Amino acid sequence: MQVAKSMRVTKAVVPVAGLGTRFLPATKAIPKEMLPVVDRPAIQYVVEEAVAAGLDDVLFVTGRHKTPLEDHFDRNVELEQALSSKGDDEKLAAVRASDGLARVHYVRQGAPRGLGHAVLMAQQHVGHEAFAVLLGDDLIDPRDQVLEEMIALRQEHGGSVVCLMEVPAEQISLYGCAAATVVDGHVRVTDLIEKPPVDQAPSNLAVIGRYVLDPVVFDVLERTQPGRGGEIQLTDALRELAQMPAEIGGGVRGVVFRGRRYDTGDRLSYLQAVIQLALERDDLGPPLKQWLMSRLVDGEGK
Ligand code: G1P
């Protein structure tokens, strides 16, 4: 079925079924997405980013042990009453901010069979519309929005859009990697490979966790065989989409992102996110900067 390419994109799919093993033991009993970045769980930034781009319908693809995440995007009436009777309007607003953000839905993945499989779980909810996928581990600095540009590209040309970032060659094996050419001022993706060894990577353009997908991706994912790591890879489905004709929803374009992006599932990048975002805050930024400078000068960071 052909989908009107100009139709507004309103749905975001956020896969959060991962185990968070890179952050153990912190993530033994809480979902990795709930680790705080300054004073909000990492996943709240992702939902705020979706909403800022006009995606007010959010489907989480969850797994077992993700109840705290579901609670975070729900009301907490007891806490609200306690804050309200104390007259603490500021904290009350902070508590209410996450439940009023978007229309939130959940579907369970069951077995962790890969990112492609997680996206396939969204088929019934999404239907025949183009939709966005935001990976919970990727935190885009709120000052550097990229989704709107990706959605605009989809609306102009149809097909699917990936977010690309140049990375040092030795890091490309951590990402999906795109072969791309520049056509009419934007990037046309010709091929994609999931986590290639550096000597087999066609470029240093890494796919980062933001996608705008044509719903034909579901048909492709249904026949995508397990790939790297024995998992059904979204990158493999995108590779097929890149080679499919535009008339049936094929074609993959890319937006090259040059802003700040953090991998909150990685300890070093997580710390950088916390520090960077705290430095930008009016309340915490100035004293944190002063402390950091004195630590670096006096103690050389030790
Ligand atoms: C996933 C994708 C990969 C992409 C990455 C971006 O990998 O499979 O193609 O480059 O997200 O963060 P993961 O990091 O979940 O292993």
Side-chain angles (χ1 to χ4, degrees):
M1 170 186 292
Q2 222 209 324
V3 182
K5 62 185 184 190
S6 59
M7 221 167 112
R8 216 162 69 85
V9 182
T10 59
K11 290 180 180 164
V13 173
V14 184
V16 289
L19 292 175
T21 50
R22 290 185 291 173
F23 244 112
L24 285 170
T27 49
K28 182 178 170 189
I30 54 162
K32 61 176 173 168
E33 297 81 8
M34 291 303 292
L35 293 176
V37 174
V38 191
D39 50 13
R40 273 179 278 168
I43 195 66
Q44 189 172 331
Y45 290 86
V46 175
V47 174
E48 285 169 354
E49 180 194 340
V51 172
L55 309 166
D56 59 0
D57 180 302
V58 175
L59 175 73
F60 285 111
V61 184
T62 71
R64 282 177 289 284
H65 314 303
K66 299 285 174 173
T67 319
L69 187 147
E70 297 184 20
D71 288 344
H72 184 71
F73 290 100
D74 195 358
R75 300 280 302 263
N76 183 335
V77 177
E78 239 172 41
L79 182 57
E80 287 169 31
Q81 276 167 356
L83 292 168
S84 159
S85 61
K86 277 199 228 161
D88 194 338
D89 293 341
E90 202 179 316
K91 290 224 173 62
L92 184 59
V95 162
R96 289 300 318 268
S98 53
D99 75 72
L101 264 177
R103 284 173 291 141
V104 178
H105 311 267
Y106 300 90
V107 62
R108 300 265 293 229
Q109 191 180 2
R113 293 176 54 204
L115 178 58
H117 179 250
V119 172
L120 190 52
M121 296 288 105
Q123 181 170 24
Q124 200 181 2
H125 180 80
V126 168
H128 299 291
E129 300 169 29
F131 64 104
V133 173
L134 290 83
L135 303 190
D137 277 352
D138 286 70
L139 196 161
I140 304 280
D141 194 305
R143 65 167 207 167
D144 296 324
Q145 300 290 333
V146 67
L147 267 176
E148 271 180 57
E149 190 183 341
M150 295 172 69
I151 293 169
L153 202 57
R154 149 75 198 185
Q155 280 171 331
E156 193 179 340
H157 300 281
S160 298
V161 182
V162 292
C163 185
L164 302 171
M165 203 173 85
E166 288 183 79
V167 298
E170 68 276 11
Q171 286 176 22
I172 198 68
S173 58
L174 301 172
Y175 298 95
C177 174
T181 52
V182 176
V183 186
D184 298 334
H186 64 262
V187 173
R188 182 94 208 205
V189 174
T190 52
D191 200 6
L192 288 134
I193 308 177
E194 178 68 0
K195 301 186 179 145
V198 63
D199 57 344
Q200 287 166 34
S203 75
N204 68 336
L205 286 172
V207 176
I208 60 168
R210 300 293 180 267
Y211 309 80
V212 177
L213 300 175
D214 187 282
V216 77
V217 71
F218 295 126
D219 301 340
V220 175
L221 281 169
E222 270 173 351
R223 56 175 182 262
T224 301
Q225 296 300 310
R228 195 162 179 88
E231 296 189 337
I232 298 171
Q233 297 292 350
L234 181 59
T235 306
D236 293 344
L238 281 162
R239 173 180 222 184
E240 190 174 330
L241 286 181
Q243 277 135 26
M244 265 169 63
E247 299 71 53
I248 52 167
V252 178
R253 289 175 173 78
V255 167
V256 181
F257 179 66
R258 301 189 200 281
R260 291 188 191 139
R261 169 251 178 198
Y262 311 95
D263 175 0
T264 51
D266 172 77
R267 289 172 303 167
L268 179 61
S269 191
Y270 169 83
L271 288 171
Q272 289 164 344
V274 174
I275 293 169
Q276 184 63 59
L277 294 176
L279 282 172
E280 281 163 24
R281 291 256 303 244
D282 292 340
D283 52 348
L284 297 167
L288 177 63
K289 184 173 177 186
Q290 203 178 15
W291 180 80
L292 275 173
M293 304 239 304
S294 71
R295 282 302 295 146
L296 294 172
V297 172
D298 303 342
E300 294 181 339
K302 294 204 172 134

